[in-house]
């Protein structure tokens, strides 16, 4: 199964230490840890929420330069709000991912920002898209990114299954983040998770002391 890992080793304050998104039967889970780093070695913040809402049922996780990613998201939110007013309907998930892709690609020489975009719409249901640092757009059922992702490729390959239930996918995402946070020196804090379905959005926060424990036991 192909997955895409986005490099977060860029100068300045970076994010994307461990981010993931996965589709389940009827929805999608997107999540991250809560740390930002500088140069992949120094933890500059322990309390950042990298799961950002760009529209009602569309969220994204940031990777790369924190300042660049926040600027791109701010512009994308404006584009999507204007689009929804013009079309008198919520934007499609692919539309949100495409806006992020265009902003990243057109400014690829100045910006270092990539995104995991996940959401639900009436046309295609649950979807996950990867927008790479250079502006490439790829659709995938499950994807991971950030420095912590290098530790969990095997787990994701072995444990992700299509058409999982909501509870199975939420546990899968929590376990994956916990494993990455236990090994990666700049991943940690709490797990921020968002469950997106046709009926709405649910935010789940798992404190560090409530995360599953594996090798540290």
């Amino acid at each position: 199964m192909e997955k895409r890992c986005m490099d977060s080793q860029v100068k300045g304050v970076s994010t994307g230490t461990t981010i993931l998104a996965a589709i389940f039967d009827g929805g999608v889970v997107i999540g991250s840890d809560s740390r930002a780093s500088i140069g992949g070695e120094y933890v500059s913040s322990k309390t950042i929420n990298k799961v950002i809402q760009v529209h009602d049922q569309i969220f994204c996780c940031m990777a790369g330069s924190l300042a660049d990613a926040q600027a791109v998201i701010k512009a994308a939110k404006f584009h999507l709000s204007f689009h929804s007013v013009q079309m008198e309907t919520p934007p499609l998930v692919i539309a949100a991912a495409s806006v992020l892709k265009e902003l990243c690609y057109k400014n690829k020489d100045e910006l270092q920002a990539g995104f995991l975009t996940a959401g639900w719409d009436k046309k295609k249901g649950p979807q996950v898209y990867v927008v790479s640092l250079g502006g490439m757009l790829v659709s995938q059922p499950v994807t991971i990114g950030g420095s912590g992702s290098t530790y969990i490729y095997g787990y994701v390959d072995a444990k992700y299954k299509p058409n999982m239930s909501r509870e199975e996918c939420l546990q899968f995402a929590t376990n994956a983040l916990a494993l990455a946070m236990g090994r990666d020196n700049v991943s940690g804090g709490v797990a921020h998770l968002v469950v997106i379905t046709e009926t709405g959005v649910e935010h789940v926060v798992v404190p560090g002391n409530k995360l599953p424990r594996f090798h540290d036991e």
Side-chain angles (χ1 to χ4, degrees):
M1 182 180 299
E2 182 186 3
K3 278 164 288 296
R4 188 163 215 60
C5 178
M6 292 176 292
D7 185 8
S8 63
Q9 310 304 314
V10 295
K11 294 181 180 180
V13 178
S14 303
T15 183
T17 42
T18 303
I19 55 179
L20 63 82
I23 293 174
F24 63 90
D25 186 17
V28 60
V29 172
I30 184 169
S32 75
D33 71 319
S34 63
R35 288 185 179 175
S37 62
I38 295 178
E41 298 176 357
Y42 172 73
V43 176
S44 57
S45 174
K46 296 181 180 180
T47 58
I48 185 172
N49 182 4
K50 289 170 275 189
V51 185
I52 308 299
Q53 187 172 23
V54 294
H55 209 267
D56 294 346
Q57 290 176 284
I58 306 173
F59 286 73
C60 69
C61 280
M62 305 180 291
S65 165
L66 179 59
D68 291 350
Q70 288 175 331
V72 170
I73 287 175
K74 184 176 181 180
K77 284 182 175 181
F78 172 80
H79 281 288
L80 293 172
S81 295
F82 188 68
H83 173 78
S84 65
V85 171
Q86 279 187 314
M87 303 301 293
E88 297 183 343
T89 186
L92 300 177
V93 181
I94 183 62
S98 297
V99 168
L100 291 168
K101 183 262 294 184
E102 286 297 319
L103 290 168
C104 290
Y105 180 74
K106 289 181 179 179
N107 300 281
K108 60 181 181 294
D109 295 330
E110 290 79 28
L111 300 179
Q112 290 286 336
F115 304 90
L116 304 185
T117 306
W120 188 96
D121 61 47
K122 292 183 179 179
K123 186 174 183 179
K124 289 187 177 181
Q127 299 150 72
V128 171
Y129 296 95
V130 180
V131 179
S132 70
L133 295 180
M136 183 174 69
L137 179 62
V138 181
S139 174
Q140 295 179 315
V142 59
T143 186
I144 54 179
S147 58
S149 67
T150 58
Y151 300 95
I152 58 173
Y153 273 103
Y155 176 82
V156 172
D157 281 336
K159 296 297 184 180
Y160 178 77
K161 301 292 187 295
N163 300 317
M164 288 192 293
S165 68
R166 175 194 174 280
E167 291 73 21
E168 288 173 333
C169 193
L170 195 57
Q171 190 62 57
F172 161 80
T174 303
N175 289 347
L177 288 173
L179 286 165
M181 292 159 68
R183 293 292 187 186
D184 184 34
N185 65 319
V186 290
S187 294
V190 305
H192 290 283
L193 297 160
V194 176
V195 183
I196 311 164
T197 62
E198 180 180 5
T199 57
V201 172
E202 179 186 356
H203 295 260
V204 179
V205 178
V206 185
N209 62 349
K210 300 295 184 181
L211 287 168
R213 299 180 68 86
F214 299 97
H215 55 274
D216 292 331
E217 291 182 333

